[in-house]
């Protein structure tokens, strides 16, 4: 009985220790944000379509037409797409992706100072995305359109908590005027171009045009405008655990019209040339971030078996040895009743033992 009791006691103790070890392992290394979900951060994304001038002429300009065609045959803005500092979802159970790039440019349109993006997965915490840029300058045909201070946006989500989204309020100047930029409310603003502004833009777009017109004794009439829609966004959905934030976005549109009159001796237009464009010239997004909620890792996958298995084996060996030792100790403490007891359960007297011999 002593050996059985000791073995039973050892089994119960061992089971309790192993269960405690498993619970302690789970509590010590919970991997809440280690399964699924997504995160993405992009420092800069810009698209500029090709823009050309539309030239039409009337009257006696046969001698001038080839020159005009040669001056305006190339686009005034060449199409280009630029993506800088883009990172994606880190691998589970934890980790980070980051990228930093120096100044990036779309020639003739945008200059963006240092750009960075980072995504991070914390084993016992958030899945997050962060992007930021330095100062941003947007120019168009010699015109200073936008100047934007540092831009940043950050989002995070969690398997059991609500997501968050934040887009800092950058300093924004449009043609030198300060413009407030509320969150989730796009701002539409435009600037009328005077004759001087329009002529400067045309000369930048078509070098030599002004000299040609002046040589022919022509007269310019010009005008136009620059329209910009810009803003920043913060959106978080507690039901789905998703969040997005954009530090700054802008869509720039250019309208430019010029009429060139080449007069005769009486002052009337001997020939007339119209040059115009009406086009979207830039779509710019800075500090763009997004996340989607990860799932909790199943409990069985949260156990560090590389730690539990050897410890369990060690505990089992110790308990086995302890059980054997306890059994031997109990047997030594009990009297040898099996060899000395009669059928009624009373020990034999010395006389009975002598008579039996």
């Amino acid at each position: 009985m002593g050996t059985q009791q000791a073995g039973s006691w050892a089994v119960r103790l061992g089971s309790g220790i192993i269960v405690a070890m498993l619970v302690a392992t789970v509590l010590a290394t919970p991997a809440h944000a280690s399964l699924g979900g997504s995160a993405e951060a992009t420092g800069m994304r810009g698209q500029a379509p090709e823009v050309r001038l539309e030239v039409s002429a009337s009257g006696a300009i046969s001698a001038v037409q080839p020159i005009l065609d040669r001056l305006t045959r190339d686009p005034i803005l060449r199409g280009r797409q630029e993506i800088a500092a883009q990172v994606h979802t880190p691998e589970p159970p934890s980790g980070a992706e980051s990228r930093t790039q120096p100044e990036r440019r779309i020639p003739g349109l945008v200059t963006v100072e240092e750009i960075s993006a980072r995504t991070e997965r914390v084993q016992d915490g958030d899945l997050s995305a962060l992007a930021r840029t330095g100062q941003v300058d947007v120019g168009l045909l010699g015109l200073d359109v936008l100047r934007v201070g540092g831009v940043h946006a950050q989002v995070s989500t969690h398997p059991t908590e609500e997501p968050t989204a934040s887009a800092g309020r950058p300093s924004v100047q449009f043609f030198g005027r300060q413009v407030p930029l509320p969150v989730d409310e796009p701002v539409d603003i435009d600037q009328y171009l005077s004759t001087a502004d329009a002529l400067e833009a045309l000369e930048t777009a078509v070098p030599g045009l002004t000299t040609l017109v002046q040589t022919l004794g022509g007269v310019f009439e010009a005008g136009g405008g620059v329209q910009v829609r810009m803003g920043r966004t913060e959106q978080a959905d507690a039901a789905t655990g998703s969040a997005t934030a954009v530090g700054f976005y802008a869509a720039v549109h250019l309208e430019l019209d010029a009429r060139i009159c080449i007069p005769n001796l009486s002052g009337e237009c001997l020939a007339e040339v119209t040059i115009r464009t009406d086009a979207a010239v830039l779509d710019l997004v800075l500090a763009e971030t997004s996340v989607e909620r990860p799932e909790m890792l199943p409990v069985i996958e949260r156990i560090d078996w590389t730690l539990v298995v050897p410890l369990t084996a060690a505990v089992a060996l110790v308990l086995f040895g302890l059980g054997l030792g306890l059994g031997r100790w109990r047997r030594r403490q009990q009297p040898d009743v099996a060899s000395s007891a009669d059928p009624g359960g009373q020990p034999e007297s010395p006389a009975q033992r002598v008579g039996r011999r």
Side-chain angles (χ1 to χ4, degrees):
M1 288 293 294
T3 303
Q4 292 178 348
Q5 290 175 352
S8 177
W9 177 83
V11 169
R12 289 196 298 269
L13 177 61
S15 300
I17 292 176
I18 293 172
V19 170
M21 287 170 55
L22 294 177
V23 172
T25 302
V26 170
L27 295 178
T29 59
H32 292 305
S34 296
L35 188 66
S38 67
E40 185 172 306
T42 304
M44 169 190 173
R45 179 167 55 82
Q47 184 166 353
E50 183 179 87
V51 178
R52 292 180 175 272
L53 291 174
E54 300 174 7
V55 181
S56 59
S58 62
I61 61 166
S62 58
V64 180
Q65 186 69 55
I67 301 175
L68 287 172
D69 292 341
R70 186 166 59 252
L71 289 174
T72 58
R73 66 186 176 188
D74 296 327
I76 60 173
L77 292 172
R78 298 185 181 278
R80 182 164 174 175
Q81 184 172 355
E82 190 78 27
I83 297 176
Q86 187 174 65
V87 291
H88 302 280
T89 312
E91 293 293 330
S94 64
E97 288 191 12
S98 64
R99 181 167 295 179
T100 300
Q101 295 183 347
E103 178 183 281
R104 299 299 292 267
R105 300 177 63 245
I106 296 180
L109 284 173
V110 181
T111 301
V112 182
E113 293 183 357
E114 186 175 12
I115 307 163
S116 64
R118 177 180 176 86
T119 56
E120 184 175 10
R121 184 195 294 272
V122 179
Q123 185 172 344
D124 190 22
D126 293 335
L127 181 60
S128 61
L130 168 69
R132 63 175 68 247
T133 72
Q135 181 172 295
V136 182
D137 291 298
V138 178
L140 180 59
L141 302 180
L143 305 172
D144 294 328
V145 178
L146 286 171
R147 172 162 290 184
V148 184
V151 177
H152 75 273
Q154 183 172 12
V155 291
S156 66
T157 188
H158 191 280
T160 59
E161 298 174 8
E162 294 187 359
T164 63
S166 173
R169 184 191 296 269
S171 170
V172 179
Q173 292 183 3
F174 176 72
F175 281 88
R177 307 190 307 271
Q178 197 73 28
V179 178
L181 200 65
V183 67
D184 293 329
E185 294 182 15
V187 174
D188 292 294
I189 189 168
D190 41 317
Q191 173 72 26
Y192 170 75
L193 297 181
S194 66
T195 298
D197 293 333
L199 291 179
E200 180 181 352
L202 271 175
E203 180 60 26
T204 302
V206 188
L209 180 63
T210 303
T211 301
L212 173 64
V213 174
Q214 291 174 345
T215 301
L216 297 173
V219 178
F220 267 117
E221 293 179 4
V226 177
Q227 298 84 40
V228 176
R229 165 167 280 205
M230 55 187 168
R232 58 192 178 101
T233 63
E234 299 174 356
Q235 296 179 351
D237 187 342
T240 62
S242 61
T244 60
V246 175
F248 180 79
Y249 65 86
V252 182
H253 189 279
L254 171 66
E255 182 181 355
L256 189 62
D257 288 280
R259 175 178 173 269
I260 305 170
C261 174
I262 302 174
N264 56 21
L265 294 178
S266 62
E268 298 178 352
C269 286
L270 176 67
E272 185 174 284
V273 179
T274 302
I275 301 174
R276 70 182 306 273
T277 189
D278 188 355
V281 296
L282 178 65
D283 184 5
L284 180 67
V285 180
L286 302 172
E288 183 178 22
T289 58
S290 65
V291 290
E292 292 183 3
R293 173 178 286 156
E295 300 175 2
M296 292 185 69
L297 202 65
V299 173
I300 195 66
E301 295 185 26
R302 293 164 59 188
I303 298 173
D304 187 355
W305 294 105
T306 62
L307 177 65
V308 172
V309 171
L311 286 178
T312 302
V315 169
L317 289 174
V318 170
L319 292 176
F320 180 73
L322 182 60
L324 290 179
L326 286 174
R328 294 192 184 99
W329 181 80
R330 291 288 297 272
R331 286 197 299 272
R332 285 196 300 268
Q333 297 300 316
Q334 292 177 349
D336 187 8
V337 296
S339 61
S340 61
D342 63 10
Q346 298 296 324
E348 292 181 324
S349 67
Q352 288 174 324
R353 288 197 295 273
V354 171
R356 197 170 61 245
R357 291 174 184 172

